[in-house]
Amino acid sequence: MIMETKEAQKSPSKIRNNDNVTYNIELAGRPNADKTYNLYLRITQNRKHRKKKLFAIESKQEFNKKAAFGKWIRTTNPEAPRLNEDIETAIKEAKAAKNEIKGTSSSTAIIRKIKGTDTKEFFQFAIDRAGFFYNTGGYRNYKKYNNFINRLKEYHTSETLNFSEIDYEFIKGFEAFLNKKKNVRKPKFNIHKNTIAGHMKIFRAILKQAEISKFIKPADNPFLSYKPEEKHTSKEKLTAKEIEAIEGLKLSQNSILWHCRNYFLFSFYCAGIRAGDLILLKWNNITKEERLDYTIGKTSCSRSIKLLPKAKKILNYYKHEGQKPNEYIFPLLNNTESFSIANNNEERDSLPANIQQKMYDTVNAKNSYINKYLNEIAQLAEIKKHISFHISRHSFADIARKKNANVYDISKLLGHSSIKITEAYLKNFDSESMDKTMEGIMK
């Protein structure tokens, strides 16, 4: 027999643990087709409850919800001793399940544990999913998944995490944990909301794949009632005058600052090509028609940009005798690197995983290298903004908008997959038009 708690003595059908979990015995309000009534074990935590069916009894009168612990079934039922023992056993199992669950638990997790639907392990499934991307050319996704797994392991410190333990309360707890994490690059601040949203999207993707793989039922996916929220952020950008100030700087030819300015301006002149794509550009990306043709690494969308005189002038600095189409345009990567044999995105995606890893790590290091010197360039141009390579993209979009360029054309130039993405992107730059409206209203 289970020892009665003080709580059970006050309310005989309710048993409360010191972790705020209660175990109630409850009778169904409506009869079954055969006129029997189902009896349930109801587990409640934080006002949220789940039920587990125990057995059926002949009539309502056989159940005494106000009875002392262990005497729920009245003696009018000849099977009362056995049925009351079955109820006690169910409560014991529920408590044992609660104790076996490591980290955050909930009524849903306890019920799943009792039902034995918790045998499939989440961490290994997530690691295998990350490995799938690593082995099939998706190194960017591999890194994102790996980072997510590491953050989740910080939250759930047990070595294992069963799918049964993952419910709405669990993912909300993980979100709350991330909200308190410090930003590695800016230790005085916590992790950005959009970084958290990124982790939650990966969590959602893994559980969706678990559905497809029959690891969980669709109804058990907690993301049915949870949606990751991203915040619109203010995007730093340069004005046309600030771009001109950078163009007008007197820098020593072939110096580090001179090269970094070229990279930044070439990106601006080519509709904001991203750093990762620019660093990997080869001479075979320049067509006979004097266009820049390349595939965006992030989205795999193709772009064809007309090279205007300012962009062609920069390219002329890097042309040399005997250059080959498969050589890198800018002096950032070594043409003898193991990954240099790939001449386009399709070939890069087909490289062995370890070679891809080396390539992306090298590209990221070069991006950081460029950003370091761009801030020196900003200071020389008397620009009081913290700038990075990506700001060339923001600046192009903002200046195009101010010149009343068609949103559809801006979208295509930026390589966005839809107009909606471009509209959301441009919203961040719309403060000037709002200022003019305010000035007009107040005249």
Side-chain angles (χ1 to χ4, degrees):
M1 296 287 289
I2 296 177
M3 293 293 292
E4 288 186 47
T5 63
K6 291 181 180 179
E7 186 64 30
Q9 292 168 1
K10 291 178 184 177
S11 178
S13 65
K14 180 185 288 184
I15 303 91
R16 185 185 296 275
N17 276 7
N18 58 8
D19 56 3
N20 203 34
V21 179
T22 59
Y23 306 85
N24 295 338
I25 306 305
E26 186 178 275
L27 191 69
R30 294 180 180 180
N32 299 317
D34 61 359
K35 297 185 179 180
T36 60
Y37 287 82
N38 289 333
L39 202 66
Y40 294 92
L41 167 61
R42 189 178 82 168
I43 301 171
T44 307
Q45 185 179 48
N46 298 325
R47 299 181 180 180
K48 296 187 177 182
H49 63 267
R50 296 289 184 273
K51 296 178 183 179
K52 178 182 184 290
K53 181 182 173 182
L54 299 176
F55 50 79
I57 55 177
E58 294 293 328
S59 70
K60 282 184 175 183
Q61 286 68 36
E62 293 178 14
F63 176 64
N64 183 3
K65 65 179 180 180
K66 294 183 179 180
F69 182 83
K71 297 181 179 180
W72 299 280
I73 306 300
R74 290 189 169 97
T75 55
T76 53
N77 185 323
E79 297 289 321
R82 180 182 63 79
L83 295 177
N84 281 322
E85 190 173 331
D86 287 348
I87 294 172
E88 288 185 34
T89 300
I91 294 170
K92 280 183 180 180
E93 288 177 350
K95 288 185 174 182
K98 166 68 183 72
N99 292 332
E100 287 177 21
I101 295 171
K102 306 296 183 183
T104 305
S105 67
S106 69
S107 54
T108 302
I110 296 168
I111 290 291
R112 290 179 186 168
K113 184 77 176 176
I114 297 168
K115 289 180 177 179
T117 56
D118 68 323
T119 55
K120 294 173 180 175
E121 213 279 321
F122 176 83
F123 281 136
Q124 189 56 55
F125 184 87
I127 290 168
D128 290 345
R129 190 64 184 152
F132 166 79
F133 289 113
Y134 185 85
N135 293 321
T136 56
Y139 183 66
R140 287 186 178 90
N141 277 332
Y142 164 74
K143 286 189 72 174
K144 291 176 183 178
Y145 274 61
N146 207 38
N147 287 337
F148 158 75
I149 293 167
N150 289 335
R151 296 294 80 74
L152 190 62
K153 284 187 172 181
E154 288 177 19
Y155 170 62
H156 185 82
T157 54
S158 173
E159 290 184 7
T160 59
L161 172 63
N162 292 324
F163 279 96
S164 65
E165 299 174 62
I166 303 170
D167 60 5
Y168 182 81
E169 285 77 21
F170 183 93
I171 60 177
K172 288 297 290 183
F174 179 50
E175 181 185 48
F177 167 79
L178 291 175
N179 271 302
K180 295 176 183 177
K181 287 284 293 179
K182 293 295 179 186
N183 188 320
V184 176
R185 294 180 181 178
K186 300 178 180 178
K188 292 183 179 179
F189 298 91
N190 288 344
I191 293 177
H192 195 279
K193 298 292 183 185
N194 289 351
T195 302
I196 295 172
H199 284 312
M200 302 311 281
K201 285 180 179 179
I202 291 170
F203 204 166
R204 180 177 63 186
I206 294 172
L207 288 176
K208 188 63 181 178
Q209 186 61 44
E211 273 186 43
I212 296 168
S213 302
K214 308 297 183 184
F215 270 57
I216 61 171
K217 295 178 181 178
D220 289 336
N221 190 333
F223 279 91
L224 288 172
S225 52
Y226 173 90
K227 183 179 180 181
E229 290 185 11
E230 287 187 280
K231 300 287 183 182
H232 284 298
T233 56
S234 58
K235 297 183 185 293
E236 191 68 271
K237 75 278 185 187
L238 301 181
T239 64
K241 285 186 178 180
E242 287 169 332
I243 293 289
E244 289 172 8
I246 290 175
E247 290 173 326
L249 287 175
K250 302 297 182 183
L251 302 174
S252 299
Q253 190 161 332
N254 290 321
S255 66
I256 294 174
L257 292 179
W258 180 83
H259 282 296
C260 288
R261 177 179 64 179
N262 287 345
Y263 309 148
F264 182 85
L265 290 177
F266 186 81
S267 169
F268 175 75
Y269 300 148
C270 294
I273 179 173
R274 292 182 176 90
D277 294 323
L278 177 135
I279 292 166
L280 289 166
L281 285 180
K282 292 190 170 187
W283 286 106
N284 57 24
N285 291 115
I286 309 300
T287 70
K288 292 178 180 179
E289 294 77 23
E290 297 189 316
R291 301 185 70 85
L292 172 63
D293 283 3
Y294 73 101
T295 302
I296 301 171
K298 185 177 179 180
T299 63
S300 297
C301 293
S302 298
R303 291 177 86 193
S304 181
I305 306 294
K306 181 179 180 179
L307 291 169
L308 299 178
K310 288 183 176 180
K312 287 191 280 187
K313 183 179 179 181
I314 289 175
L315 286 179
N316 287 334
Y317 291 135
Y318 298 99
K319 286 181 178 178
H320 59 86
E321 281 188 33
Q323 73 182 28
K324 299 176 182 178
N326 62 349
E327 289 182 352
Y328 294 111
I329 292 175
F330 299 108
L332 289 161
L333 299 177
N334 194 322
N335 288 301
T336 61
E337 286 281 6
S338 54
F339 51 79
S340 68
I341 59 172
N343 291 312
N344 52 52
N345 258 31
E346 187 177 351
E347 290 182 0
R348 283 192 280 270
D349 288 343
S350 300
L351 290 169
N354 62 316
I355 303 298
Q356 280 195 56
Q357 182 173 354
K358 182 181 179 182
M359 177 179 68
Y360 286 116
D361 287 347
T362 304
V363 168
N364 287 336
K366 293 298 182 182
N367 189 12
S368 298
Y369 167 86
I370 296 168
N371 287 338
K372 175 184 174 182
Y373 291 103
L374 286 179
N375 278 297
E376 285 190 33
I377 290 170
Q379 290 176 12
L380 290 172
E382 298 183 352
I383 296 170
K384 296 180 180 179
K385 295 175 182 176
H386 180 80
I387 69 170
S388 64
F389 193 98
H390 204 68
I391 285 175
S392 66
R393 186 171 175 81
H394 297 170
S395 304
F396 170 80
D398 186 46
I399 292 170
R401 180 189 63 82
K402 286 176 180 175
K403 292 188 176 182
N404 298 318
N406 183 289
V407 176
Y408 176 83
D409 291 336
I410 295 175
S411 181
K412 291 301 177 185
L413 287 167
L414 290 173
H416 287 161
S417 57
S418 75
I419 294 289
K420 285 185 177 180
I421 294 173
T422 309
E423 287 173 342
Y425 196 84
L426 295 177
K427 270 185 184 178
N428 296 284
F429 307 132
D430 217 18
S431 57
E432 253 184 55
S433 61
M434 288 189 292
D435 291 345
K436 288 178 181 178
T437 300
M438 277 292 292
E439 289 168 3
I441 292 169
M442 296 302 172
K443 279 184 180 178

